Amino acid sequence: MKQPFSYHTFLFPFVWKTSGNTTIYQLIDRLPKEHWQEEVYDVQDGALQKNAEEYTLNYAMFQYFTQPARKLVFGQGEDGYMRLFSYCRGGKPWGSRADETQIGSYEITKGADVFKLVIHGIKLNIYDTGTAILSFELENWDHRDRDSVNAINEYGRRVWFPFLTPGRTGLTADKIEIKAEDAVIASEDFLQESIGLQNNTHGEEHSPISPTHIMAPIQNLLNCAVAENAPPDALRGNQDRFVIKPLVDDRMFVCCLVCDDKALEGLAQWDADAAEYVYLSNCEKDDHTLSDNLYKLVYIENSVSCASRRMKKELLRKSVYDRWIDYGTLYGITHHSFVCVTGADAAGESGLGDAVYNPFLTQYVEMAKIALNSRGMVLALSAEAANVAREVASNNSKGPQKIQELQERYVQAQSKMMLFEVTVQEQGVELFNMLSEQLYLPENKAALDDMIDDLRDVANTIYDRIEQQNDSALNTAMGLLTVFGLLFAWWQSLSPLLSEASPVYPYLACITNGLGFITLVFCLGAWIWLRKQKKK
C-alpha cells in the first residue's frame, strides 16, 4: 500500500492576550462555532476519543506523558487551562488519502512548482496564560524526493517576508492556499504583495508592507483575529476581532517525518578511522555532499548556509540524535525544526508505524508544542519585565504593584506551562532536553530569573523606603499630637481658674473646645493618610 513520503506539521505559536482585559472565554466565544469544535478528553469515563484508531494513539500518549504534561496535551474543557479545538468543514474532519477521506489541501506555489499537501488536521491549543499554538498537520503523497521536502518546509512555514525584495519573494512561497473540496477558503499571494511593493516604491505614494503582518490563511481560519498594528479598518465596526502577534518570528516551527529507505544511505555507516558515523566524518571530506544533504534537511535550507566544515560538523553533533541510527532512524532538532528520517513502511511489516511514525506524529509533536509554549512564555515575560523596569526607572508610583503582578504571572506560568520534565521515558527525556537546549530555554529562563530577582530587590528597596517615610511621618504626627495634647491639657487646667462671670471665659472656653476639635481632626487625618500609604 502506498504511503506518504513525508509528514509535515507546521506550528504557529502566537500571543492572543495583547490587551490586559481579554480573557480566554472571550477569545473562545469569538471563534467561528461552525468550524472550530472543542475536543474534551474525559479520562475518568474512558472517553479519550470516539474513533478506535485515535483512541489507541491517545491511550499511548496518556501513558507516555506525566500528569502535568497531560493537561497541556489533552483538552480538559472549561476545567482546564489548555483548551483544544479542531477545525472542521461542514462538521467533517479533514481526513486522509490513505482511506480516501481527504477533503482539503495545503498548496504551496513557488515558481513553476506547486506542492499539494493533504490536510489531515488543523488544531488550536489555547492557553489561559495568553498564548496559543495553531498547528497544520499535513501529508505529502506526491513529491517523493528530499529536495521537495526541503522546499515544502522552507516555503510552507513562512507567515510573512523575512526581508523585502520588491518583485521577488525571497524565502517565502509565491502563494499559499488552503482548499476544502477544491474551493479556496484561505489564501496569501506573497508574490503579488511583493510586486505591488515594487510598483509603489518609486511612485508618488509610498505603500510600505506592514512588518507585523501574518499571512491571511492564519487570520482567515481564526476569522476573528488581526495582526498587531493592523490597519484601522480591520477592527473598525467589528468588536468581535482581537489582535494577535507571533511568539517568535516570521516562521512556523516545523515537525517533519521523512519515510525514505534511501534517506540515510551512506550516512549511517560507521567510519572506523574517524571513530564516528559518516554523517559527521563526511563534513571533513572534499566531497561533503552526504553531510550537506542532512544539514539542509535538519536546518530547513535549500542550500547550506554554513560555509565552515568544522562548524557544520559541530552543529550536526549538537542537533542530531542518533540513538537508533543502526536501526535506520535519525532525529534532528534545531531552534526552528524537529525532523525524523526513517525507512518506509508501506506494507506495515517493519513495525515502523507503531515504533516511529505514530510516536513522532503524536507524542513528539506534542513535546514540541510544550517546549515552544515554554519558550514563548519566557520571551513574553522577559519583554514584560523590561517594560516594568522602565516604569520603575521613571519613578512610576505603580511600579512596585506591577512588579508584584509580574511575579504572580511568572509563578503561574511556571506551575502550569513551563515544564522541564514531560515524560519519564528515557528517549523522551533526552529528546525534550535537546528541544529545550535548542530553543535556548535554560539560558532564557536563567536570564528571566535574574530579571525577576533584580525587580524583586528594587521592589523591596522601594517598600523599605516607603516604610521609612511612613515611620518618619508617623513620628512627626506623634510629635505634633503630643504638642497639641500638652496645649489642650494646659488650657483645660487653666479654665477652672477663671470665673464663668469673667469676661474672658467664653473666649477661653471656645479656644479650649477648638483645640480639642483640631486635635481630633488631626489624629483622624493622620490615621487615614497612613492607611493609604500602606496600601501603596
Side-chain angles (χ1 to χ4, degrees):
M1 180 182 69
K2 190 178 179 182
Q3 69 175 68
F5 183 78
S6 58
Y7 297 84
H8 305 257
T9 302
F10 297 141
L11 304 178
F12 176 66
F14 64 93
V15 178
W16 58 263
K17 196 177 184 64
T18 52
S19 61
N21 56 357
T22 305
T23 67
I24 189 173
Y25 302 104
Q26 292 172 322
L27 170 65
I28 291 172
D29 287 342
R30 293 172 184 175
L31 290 174
K33 300 297 186 296
E34 67 272 22
H35 297 308
W36 288 104
Q37 299 180 0
E38 185 165 14
E39 295 185 10
V40 179
Y41 298 87
D42 190 349
V43 178
Q44 292 181 350
D45 292 340
L48 276 171
Q49 188 57 272
K50 297 178 182 178
N51 181 283
E53 181 181 354
E54 291 190 12
Y55 178 88
T56 301
L57 297 176
N58 288 326
Y59 180 90
M61 282 202 297
F62 184 86
Q63 301 297 337
Y64 186 82
F65 288 108
T66 60
Q67 181 62 28
R70 289 172 190 160
K71 295 182 179 180
L72 298 178
V73 173
F74 297 102
Q76 304 293 313
E78 294 184 0
D79 296 332
Y81 42 78
M82 190 281 288
R83 308 280 293 275
L84 179 61
F85 293 82
S86 289
Y87 189 91
C88 302
R89 297 295 299 180
K92 297 186 296 183
W94 291 92
S96 171
R97 188 181 295 182
D99 55 8
E100 298 182 351
T101 59
Q102 73 176 77
I103 63 170
S105 59
Y106 188 99
E107 297 188 12
I108 305 163
T109 301
K110 184 65 176 179
D113 296 322
V114 178
F115 303 100
K116 186 173 182 178
L117 308 174
V118 173
I119 298 177
H120 179 68
I122 299 177
K123 294 183 178 180
L124 180 63
N125 295 58
I126 306 176
Y127 308 95
D128 67 359
T129 47
T131 58
I133 296 178
L134 179 66
S135 55
F136 298 91
E137 301 172 354
L138 313 172
E139 301 172 351
N140 167 32
W141 291 79
D142 302 323
H143 315 283
R144 310 186 75 83
D145 61 272
R146 276 170 285 171
D147 287 341
S148 294
V149 171
N150 289 345
I152 290 169
N153 287 335
E154 176 67 283
Y155 301 127
R157 65 176 174 164
R158 297 282 177 178
V159 301
W160 202 224
F161 298 111
F163 49 82
L164 296 180
T165 52
R168 297 184 294 115
T169 52
L171 296 177
T172 60
D174 292 348
K175 182 188 292 185
I176 291 179
E177 295 176 308
I178 295 179
K179 294 182 179 179
E181 297 173 334
D182 296 325
V184 178
I185 64 172
S187 174
E188 182 69 67
D189 196 326
F190 294 91
L191 182 57
Q192 286 303 313
E193 291 283 357
S194 186
I195 291 174
L197 176 66
Q198 183 183 43
N199 293 339
N200 287 306
T201 298
H202 303 293
E204 294 182 0
E205 293 186 5
H206 181 58
S207 301
I209 291 178
S210 169
T212 59
H213 182 75
I214 298 170
M215 72 173 182
I218 291 176
Q219 297 189 51
N220 290 351
L221 288 176
L222 295 174
N223 198 32
C224 55
V226 297
E228 188 182 23
N229 298 327
D233 58 351
L235 287 168
R236 187 179 296 120
N238 193 341
Q239 300 302 317
D240 290 333
R241 291 186 177 273
F242 59 95
V243 177
I244 65 174
K245 61 181 180 181
L247 261 177
V248 188
D249 57 16
D250 58 277
R251 295 170 292 185
M252 292 188 275
F253 188 90
V254 176
C255 295
C256 179
L257 170 64
V258 180
C259 312
D260 181 12
D261 289 327
K262 299 180 180 180
L264 292 181
E265 200 169 68
L267 291 171
Q269 295 177 359
W270 180 255
D271 187 336
D273 294 333
E276 57 191 6
Y277 286 101
V278 170
Y279 78 87
L280 291 173
S281 64
N282 179 255
C283 295
E284 300 171 343
K285 306 295 184 182
D286 290 337
D287 181 7
H288 42 82
T289 305
L290 287 174
S291 57
D292 281 357
N293 288 337
L294 180 61
Y295 184 91
K296 288 189 292 184
L297 183 62
V298 171
Y299 280 87
I300 317 296
E301 296 181 355
N302 288 317
S303 59
V304 177
S305 62
C306 181
S308 166
R309 301 184 193 183
R310 178 191 58 79
M311 185 175 183
K312 184 180 67 175
K313 183 176 182 178
E314 289 305 311
L315 289 173
L316 285 177
R317 192 187 302 276
K318 290 179 181 178
S319 59
V320 171
Y321 180 79
D322 60 10
R323 171 187 278 264
W324 306 109
I325 189 170
D326 286 349
Y327 291 167
T329 298
L330 202 67
Y331 296 91
I333 299 175
T334 73
H335 65 283
H336 52 257
S337 64
F338 189 174
V339 175
C340 175
V341 183
T342 190
D345 188 28
E349 296 177 354
S350 66
L352 287 172
D354 293 331
V356 181
Y357 294 3
N358 291 339
F360 183 86
L361 296 174
T362 56
Q363 297 158 15
Y364 295 169
V365 168
E366 292 300 329
M367 283 201 305
K369 289 182 183 180
I370 294 173
L372 275 175
N373 190 55
S374 296
R375 183 192 182 194
M377 289 302 304
V378 170
L379 295 178
L381 288 168
S382 297
E384 188 174 347
N387 292 332
V388 171
R390 282 194 292 271
E391 292 192 17
V392 171
S394 63
N395 294 321
N396 189 322
S397 61
K398 294 184 178 180
Q401 179 183 347
K402 292 193 173 184
I403 292 175
Q404 183 178 353
E405 292 172 354
L406 175 63
Q407 287 178 301
E408 292 173 353
R409 281 193 291 274
Y410 185 37
V411 171
Q412 183 185 46
Q414 281 185 305
S415 61
K416 292 181 178 180
M417 308 294 176
M418 297 164 62
L419 308 182
F420 293 92
E421 184 175 275
V422 300
T423 179
V424 296
Q425 200 271 350
E426 187 175 0
Q427 180 177 343
V429 171
E430 293 166 353
L431 286 171
F432 189 73
N433 287 341
M434 280 187 68
L435 267 171
S436 299
E437 291 173 4
Q438 290 289 349
L439 291 173
Y440 313 117
L441 271 174
E443 299 95 324
N444 290 341
K445 185 179 181 300
L448 177 59
D449 287 337
D450 289 341
M451 294 176 71
I452 297 290
D453 288 341
D454 290 343
L455 286 173
R456 186 185 298 114
D457 292 340
V458 170
N460 290 336
T461 301
I462 293 174
Y463 285 132
D464 289 342
R465 186 170 66 245
I466 291 175
E467 194 68 28
Q468 291 174 0
Q469 292 173 347
N470 289 343
D471 291 341
S472 177
L474 180 61
N475 291 335
T476 302
M478 292 303 295
L480 292 174
L481 182 61
T482 301
V483 171
F484 278 117
L486 290 173
L487 288 174
F488 181 68
W490 178 69
W491 281 110
Q492 286 288 78
S493 63
L494 184 62
S495 58
L497 300 177
L498 300 175
S499 170
E500 293 185 6
S502 171
V504 297
Y505 180 81
Y507 302 104
L508 182 61
C510 182
I511 292 173
T512 302
N513 293 332
L515 285 173
F517 178 75
I518 291 173
T519 302
L520 178 63
V521 171
F522 179 81
C523 292
L524 182 61
W527 180 76
I528 293 174
W529 181 82
L530 286 173
R531 282 183 60 86
K532 287 183 177 180
Q533 291 300 313
K534 287 184 178 180
K535 287 183 179 180
K536 290 181 180 180

